Amino acid sequence: MKPFGTVRWKQLTTNSVSRIATLVSLSLLATVSVAPAVRSQSVQIPTATAEQAADSANLKSVGFLSLKGGQKLMGEATQAISGGNYSLAVKKFKESRQVFNQLSNFYQQLGGSFAGVDNRIADGLRKKALDAAQMRDEATYQLALAHRAQNQPELSVPLLVQIIRSQNPTRELGKKSYAQLVELGFAETAYPRKPK
């Protein structure tokens, strides 16, 4: 005769094994039924639009993503304006704006990663993000002026509004942008107001 504990243990073991087998079977069944859907999703890789591909090619032609790369594009845009080639200037200002915007975002994200870990690094990256954002706003302002020179105020206005939102109307570039909006007739009241 087997001791009571041994019989009970064998029953528990047999029940446990059958439960585990059932769970494994259900798990495998779920995996098999979900796997085709997962596989089909992972195969679909989004393709870049023509504009994204062109932007990527433009950044590669500048070289390394840097403030100097953006400044180089700004210089090329200024030369194009001097030569009267506004369409090339617009293209170069757009490219420089994109470079500065990406730099600002990357520095800000990287700085956020170091916040609380090494505040000196985080502060340095935050400063670089602000510098890049300032250059982006300057490129945006020049782009707005280039559109205005081509009699395209409808393209200038949104850019000028973006600058004011980024800079604040009290800062120099914000004031200049608002003055442009007043000149275009988009805004009516001058700022800062002249004393009466």
Side-chain angles (χ1 to χ4, degrees):
M1 184 170 164
K2 294 180 183 177
F4 177 74
T6 308
V7 173
R8 181 84 174 141
W9 174 253
K10 284 186 179 180
Q11 285 176 344
L12 284 174
T13 306
T14 306
N15 288 341
S16 297
V17 168
S18 73
R19 283 185 189 151
I20 291 171
T22 303
L23 289 173
V24 168
S25 298
L26 289 173
S27 175
L28 286 172
L29 183 61
T31 303
V32 169
S33 64
V34 173
V38 171
R39 225 175 299 138
S40 67
Q41 289 175 358
S42 64
V43 171
Q44 295 175 351
I45 298 171
T47 55
T49 64
E51 185 177 325
Q52 290 170 332
D55 288 343
S56 178
N58 290 336
L59 288 179
K60 286 178 186 170
S61 69
V62 171
F64 185 70
L65 187 64
S66 66
L67 293 176
K68 285 185 180 180
Q71 289 168 335
K72 178 182 178 217
L73 289 167
M74 288 276 288
E76 292 172 3
T78 303
Q79 286 179 342
I81 285 179
S82 298
N85 190 347
Y86 287 101
S87 58
L88 178 61
V90 164
K91 179 179 180 282
K92 294 295 181 179
F93 282 133
K94 283 181 180 179
E95 290 172 5
S96 65
R97 188 170 173 245
Q98 180 187 4
V99 168
F100 292 135
N101 191 52
Q102 287 184 336
L103 282 171
S104 179
N105 289 335
F106 291 153
Y107 283 135
Q108 189 172 5
Q109 290 168 4
L110 191 56
S113 298
F114 279 94
V117 176
D118 189 325
N119 288 333
R120 191 181 64 189
I121 293 174
D123 291 343
L125 290 167
R126 196 173 302 115
K127 184 183 180 326
K128 285 188 173 214
L130 287 171
D131 291 344
Q134 179 67 32
M135 290 183 196
R136 175 204 60 213
D137 291 346
E138 289 171 10
T140 304
Y141 183 75
Q142 294 301 322
L143 177 60
L145 293 181
H147 282 312
R148 193 167 172 200
Q150 291 180 304
N151 291 324
Q152 297 174 320
E154 69 280 2
L155 298 177
S156 295
V157 169
L159 296 171
L160 295 167
V161 172
Q162 285 176 12
I163 295 165
I164 294 167
R165 290 191 63 192
S166 173
Q167 290 284 315
N168 204 331
T170 59
R171 297 183 70 192
E172 190 59 34
L173 196 55
K175 288 177 188 177
K176 286 168 48 176
S177 297
Y178 186 75
Q180 289 290 322
L181 290 174
V182 171
E183 285 181 26
L184 288 167
F186 184 79
E188 296 174 5
T189 307
Y191 178 83
R193 294 184 189 197
K194 296 178 182 175
K196 292 181 179 181

